[in-house]
Amino acid sequence: MVIGAAAAAGIATVALGLVLTPGPNMLYLVSRSITQGRRAGLVSLLGVAAGFGVYLAAASAGIASVFAAVPAAYLALKIAGAGYLLYLAVRTLRAGGRGVFEARDLPVDPPWRLFTAGLTTNLLNPKIAVLYVALLPQFVDPAGAPVWEQSLALGAVQIVVALTVNALIVCSAATLARVLGRRPSWVRVQRWVMGGVLGALAVRLLAERAPAPAQ
């Protein structure tokens, strides 16, 4: 096997934790599904999937080694990503902030624009960048199959987990929005939980160490 069961389970756990943490992908997919329907949300999800493919190709090409060789580049990525997550947290917690399942006004877009928006949102998502640059390499076994093969296999596991969970979120977004809309207190709690999680993720991101140089 290209990767062991422990590595597959480990990356699947990390992927599940990240996809359940409110962030740019979830915000966009939920908003699009609520305002334009389930089909639009699924088309947007295809764009998100393409973004995962771009990151996976970069990881397989050894982008983590670049950041290991140039720590300043990794530090810049961490600061930019953490700053963006803190911005999302503050915007969520401030007066008038919104939770994940509160509808946002979005224009009705054609499929190609939905796909492009999903792709762009994922490519600019700091959580995904850090996942592929810093976390995924930790599950690579230096004594195992070639690193690029292991990276592809680990990335495939992450993508399956992320797309499955996101598809379930897209399909249930409208129903959850209606339920929460009838319970204002739930909306406030959900907004504060989301803001707190985003803030905690930003702090955790700043505490991450740079990838270790390959031996």
Side-chain angles (χ1 to χ4, degrees):
M1 295 179 64
V2 177
I3 57 174
I11 194 65
T13 301
V14 170
L16 182 61
L18 287 179
V19 75
L20 291 176
T21 303
N25 285 350
M26 184 185 292
L27 289 169
Y28 177 71
L29 291 173
V30 169
S31 297
R32 181 56 69 186
S33 301
I34 292 174
T35 58
Q36 197 173 336
R38 184 178 300 172
R39 181 175 179 274
L42 292 175
V43 173
S44 300
L45 181 56
L46 290 177
V48 171
F52 284 134
V54 172
Y55 275 115
L56 179 55
S60 300
I63 192 173
S65 62
V66 175
F67 285 99
V70 188
Y74 183 75
L75 178 61
L77 172 67
K78 287 205 305 180
I79 293 175
Y84 182 62
L85 290 172
L86 286 174
Y87 163 74
L88 290 177
V90 171
R91 192 175 66 175
T92 301
L93 293 174
R94 72 184 181 186
R98 291 174 170 178
V100 175
F101 291 97
E102 291 181 80
R104 290 161 175 78
D105 294 327
L106 294 176
V108 176
D109 287 334
W112 69 268
R113 187 169 293 173
L114 295 172
F115 179 90
T116 302
L119 170 63
T120 304
T121 299
N122 200 20
L123 289 179
L124 297 178
N125 187 346
K127 288 199 306 179
I128 306 305
V130 171
L131 168 64
Y132 276 91
V133 170
L135 299 180
L136 185 143
Q138 296 180 19
F139 296 95
V140 172
D141 181 5
V147 172
W148 69 270
E149 290 187 13
Q150 293 186 62
S151 296
L152 283 176
L154 291 167
V157 173
Q158 180 271 326
I159 290 173
V160 169
V161 172
L163 294 185
T164 299
V165 174
N166 277 320
L168 292 174
I169 290 173
V170 165
C171 292
S172 61
T175 300
L176 287 172
R178 286 194 299 269
V179 171
L180 292 174
R182 294 194 293 266
R183 296 170 173 81
S185 60
W186 288 19
V187 173
R188 288 193 295 272
V189 170
Q190 182 259 332
R191 180 163 57 85
W192 278 91
V193 169
M194 173 186 167
V197 169
L198 287 170
L201 186 61
V203 173
R204 180 179 178 83
L205 175 54
L206 288 173
E208 289 285 348
R209 291 186 176 183
Q215 300 297 323

